[in-house]
């Protein structure tokens, strides 16, 4: 056997072992349930990931709803697209922004949009709910943890939920099935490049 043939044979054996491991892990994963996913961290890509999941589910014919826990009067590419495909949106139209000034108005807006979130989380006809930037409602103490926890725990058993935002509360991380932390390696903004339409919103 030549050196190349030997290398090829070893590669094949390694791949066979890997395939056996993956196959056995896949065969062992048999449970089906509504998942709670958390996408947190300081890097860019949390909301993009949440909306990507909504697009993925919608593409399979599932019903999805999105709650945006930030001032939603801005243009939003995902909303423009996904509403055309039947995705319901509840948007915090007034109040909370990154540079919040009026706490009472923010809390009122948070409570109002949370009522809509609770409706989505109680509706078994909705397969996936995205709670975009929910984490800030807890870090700013705009919504009580107990109320969020209750709605998540009592949701229809097959319903999936995605929560995004920085500095996710540890209780939500405990409750979640899948948690990803997006790390900031570099960001164009740090080099003075402004947010780009179609990339940043
Ligand atoms: P995206 O919506 O692009 O997936 P994100 O949800 O991970 O971003 P947010 O904290 O919600 O991040 O920030 C929203 C906006 O801030 C986006 O325009 C995004 O590009 C920008 N941004 C995200 N991460 C960073 C960062 N590390 N430095 C500067 N700007 C950022
Ligand atoms: Mg975001």
């Amino acid at each position: 056997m030549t050196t190349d043939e030997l290398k090829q044979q070893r590669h094949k054996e390694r791949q066979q072992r890997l395939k056996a491991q993956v196959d056995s892990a896949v065969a062992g994963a048999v449970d089906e349930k509504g998942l709670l996913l958390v996408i947190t961290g300081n890097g860019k890509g949390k909301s993009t990931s949440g909306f990507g999941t909504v697009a993925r589910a919608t593409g399979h014919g599932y019903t999805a709803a999105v709650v945006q826990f930030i001032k939603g009067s801005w243009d939003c590419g995902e909303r423009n697209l996904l509403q055309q495909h039947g995705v319901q949106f509840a948007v915090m139209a007034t109040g909370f922004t990154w540079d919040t000034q009026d706490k009472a108005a923010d809390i009122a807006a948070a409570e109002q949009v949370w009522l809509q979130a609770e409706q989505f989380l109680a509706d078994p006809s909705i397969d996936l709910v995205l709670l975009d930037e929910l984490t800030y409602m807890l870090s700013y103490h705009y919504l009580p943890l107990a109320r969020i926890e209750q709605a998540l725990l009592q949701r229809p058993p097959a319903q999936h939920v995605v929560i995004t935002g920085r500095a996710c509360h540890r209780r939500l991380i405990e409750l979640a099935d899948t948690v990803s932390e997006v790390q900031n390696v570099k960001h164009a903004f740090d080099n003075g490049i402004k947010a780009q339409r179609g990339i940043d919103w």
Side-chain angles (χ1 to χ4, degrees), residues 143-156:
L143 292 173
L145 175 64
R147 203 165 153 197
I148 293 174
E149 198 177 329
Q150 191 185 14
L152 290 172
L153 290 171
Q154 289 178 356
R155 75 188 195 275

Side-chain angles (χ1 to χ4, degrees), residues 39-51 70 74 78 98 132-133 136 164-166 182-190 193 195-196 199-201:
I39 317 287
T40 190
N42 291 330
K44 172 176 162 58
K46 300 175 289 294
S47 296
T48 329
S49 168
F51 282 112
I70 45 162
W74 338 331
E78 294 95 330
W98 310 111
D132 190 38
E133 320 296 352
Y136 302 99
T164 76
R166 295 177 190 210
V182 185
Q183 202 191 332
N184 183 37
V185 176
K186 54 159 96 165
H187 196 287
F189 182 74
D190 299 332
I193 299 161
Q196 304 284 306
I199 295 292
D200 291 299
W201 80 88

Side-chain angles (χ1 to χ4, degrees), residues 8 11 13 23 37 41 50-51 58 68-69 79 84 102 108 113 126 139 142-143 155 159 168 170 173 176 178 185:
Q8 211 169 12
H11 175 75
E13 283 167 8
D23 286 350
L37 294 88
F51 282 112
T58 305
Q68 292 181 290
F69 291 92
R79 200 166 63 225
Q84 294 175 30
D102 185 346
V113 80
I126 300 176
S139 46
Y142 284 178
L143 292 173
R155 75 188 195 275
Q159 189 183 69
C168 186
R170 66 180 190 295
I173 289 179
T178 298
V185 176

Side-chain angles (χ1 to χ4, degrees), residues 60-78:
H60 284 293
Y62 292 119
T63 306
V66 176
V67 186
Q68 292 181 290
F69 291 92
I70 45 162
K71 191 171 175 178
S73 48
W74 338 331
D75 198 13
C76 168
E78 294 95 330

